[in-house]
Amino acid sequence: MRIGMVGCGNISAAYLETFPRLDAVTLTAVADLDMDRAQAVAAAHPGVRALTVDELLSDDAVDLVLNLTIPAAHAEVALKAIAAGKHVYGEKPLAAGTAEGQSMLAAAEAAGVILGSAPDTVLGTGTQTARKAIDDGLIGKPISATATMVTPGHERWHPNPDFYYVPGGGPLLDMGPYYVSALVTLLGPVTSVVGASSSTRSTRVIGSGPRTGEQILVSTPTHVTGVLIHASGALSTLVMSFDAVATRAANIEVHGETGSLVVPDPNRFNGEVQLRRLDGEEWEVVPVSAGYQDASRGIGLQDLARTPAGELPRASGEMGFHVLEVMEAVLASAEAGTALPINSTCERPPAVALSLSGGMEAVSGS
């Protein structure tokens, strides 16, 4: 599958590093609003052409558009690509809001093209080994989970952090996709949510790059707490913050009737899974037993390219939309002060058997 990448910003480096390791996809073209940036990427990667965005979207040598634009532009670029008959795989979140996400799903279905969405970190050995431990009954029936992400804010390191502090950004829309996608992968879809939120500062100060010292306005919550009620009956508690300094809490813990799991950082593909059994006295390390080994950003493209016709890729638009609706509902619940239902749903994607990143051996089960 021939890939055209739109957006050559910070996140593109991770995808560019992965492409040479993938045998089911190849990068053929790149585009960016800053043509110099696109040309620099093309010059560093033989066989890759630098195009304008419109040229890339209409290029017959592009089968799938990898959309690495800022969240506010996700829908616009995706809809243009779909209208041109291209498959689309976008960075998280799927869109800046559910209305845009719904239009993307409808357009892709009408055009008969595939819509995929990051994060694909859930396909790595960390989350997949934890999922297999749950599916194998090592903790009994799952009861609850906690998911915690705490940082003092991305403006400390990102040279252009403005989009993190406007609607469509914030800790929940930025980092929440990793955590909510992992929770859905582990425990299944969500049926309702309760949320609360706050913002400690109305401005932020850029800490690196040519704009160091510049103040930017904050217009979205920067600390968000939510309770997710899963269709299975399990309850997940979510804490996402750009306001706190640090935490010693596990990124994710899952608790069952007979055991508890520590799940590694869902923003990474690997990491150690730990298990504490009801009749055990110590935490034990769960051997790596599922997932794409040595995976990195872009493995979702490989998974999509190798998905049989008529089936959804694991990192699907439907999954991305469900995660987006959950996050949007948490924010809406925080504003309304009441629980809100989740109207969408999705299947747990098929588990990933332990395999090399280029493999596609799948395990049934959803």
Side-chain angles (χ1 to χ4, degrees):
M1 186 174 283
R2 299 168 298 178
I3 308 298
M5 185 176 76
V6 178
C8 299
N10 284 356
I11 193 63
S12 67
Y15 285 87
L16 291 169
E17 184 177 340
T18 302
F19 273 119
R21 301 170 51 210
L22 305 179
D23 59 12
V25 297
T26 184
L27 183 66
T28 62
V30 296
D32 194 279
L33 292 177
D34 182 346
M35 180 54 77
D36 289 341
R37 200 154 60 173
Q39 289 173 340
V41 170
H45 297 83
V48 176
R49 295 164 297 137
L51 305 174
T52 67
V53 174
D54 288 341
E55 287 172 343
L56 186 147
L57 296 179
S58 62
D59 194 326
D60 290 338
V62 170
D63 302 313
L64 180 147
V65 172
L66 172 58
N67 187 0
L68 303 185
T69 58
I70 62 173
H74 283 183
E76 179 185 358
V77 171
L79 290 171
K80 287 182 177 179
I82 291 168
K86 313 295 187 188
H87 305 297
V88 175
Y89 181 93
E91 250 305 320
K92 52 77 190 168
L94 177 69
T98 52
E100 291 181 342
Q102 187 63 63
S103 68
M104 292 162 63
L105 286 176
E109 182 177 5
V113 299
I114 300 170
L115 178 63
S117 177
D120 54 4
T121 46
V122 294
L123 306 181
T125 54
T127 300
Q128 289 294 320
T129 293
R131 172 182 171 154
K132 189 174 189 302
I134 294 170
D135 291 349
D136 287 350
L138 297 189
I139 64 169
K141 180 182 178 181
I143 298 169
S144 66
T146 59
T148 306
M149 191 290 302
V150 166
T151 174
H154 291 348
E155 75 279 4
R156 293 160 57 89
W157 58 267
H158 198 292
N160 295 291
D162 310 61
F163 67 95
Y164 289 119
Y165 295 100
V166 298
L172 183 58
L173 270 295
D174 174 49
M175 297 300 292
Y178 300 109
Y179 289 80
V180 179
S181 294
L183 291 172
V184 171
T185 297
L186 297 169
L187 300 174
V190 176
T191 57
S192 63
V193 302
V194 179
S197 66
S198 63
S199 293
T200 59
R201 302 193 294 281
S202 60
T203 61
R204 297 276 173 147
V205 178
I206 298 176
S208 66
R211 299 172 63 196
T212 297
E214 180 181 334
Q215 283 195 346
I216 57 174
L217 295 176
V218 174
S219 57
T220 196
T222 50
H223 184 97
V224 182
T225 298
V227 176
L228 318 182
I229 296 89
H230 296 263
S232 64
L235 305 178
S236 292
T237 302
L238 189 70
V239 176
M240 301 280 112
S241 183
F242 282 169
D243 289 342
V245 174
T247 179
R248 296 182 67 178
N251 296 103
I252 295 177
E253 290 184 347
V254 181
H255 306 288
E257 291 180 325
T258 61
S260 293
L261 280 178
V262 172
V263 184
D265 186 350
N267 192 19
R268 297 177 56 197
F269 288 85
N270 54 15
E272 190 175 86
V273 178
Q274 298 181 30
L275 168 67
R276 179 72 177 266
R277 302 176 191 267
L278 181 63
D279 56 357
E281 297 182 356
E282 302 289 341
W283 289 91
E284 59 186 270
V285 175
V286 179
V288 172
S289 56
Y292 291 124
Q293 297 185 82
D294 302 319
S296 54
R297 273 172 173 75
I299 189 61
L301 290 168
Q302 176 100 324
D303 187 89
L304 183 153
R306 294 190 170 205
T307 298
E311 297 183 16
L312 291 176
R314 290 182 173 91
S316 68
E318 285 76 6
M319 173 89 152
F321 180 81
H322 182 64
V323 169
L324 176 62
E325 186 188 356
V326 168
M327 296 187 299
E328 191 174 86
V330 168
L331 292 173
S333 171
E335 187 172 343
T338 186
L340 292 177
I342 302 300
N343 297 312
S344 68
T345 189
C346 66
E347 297 292 330
R348 285 176 83 203
V352 182
L354 186 61
S355 60
L356 296 175
S357 296
M360 190 54 193
E361 182 183 3
V363 176
S364 62
S366 58

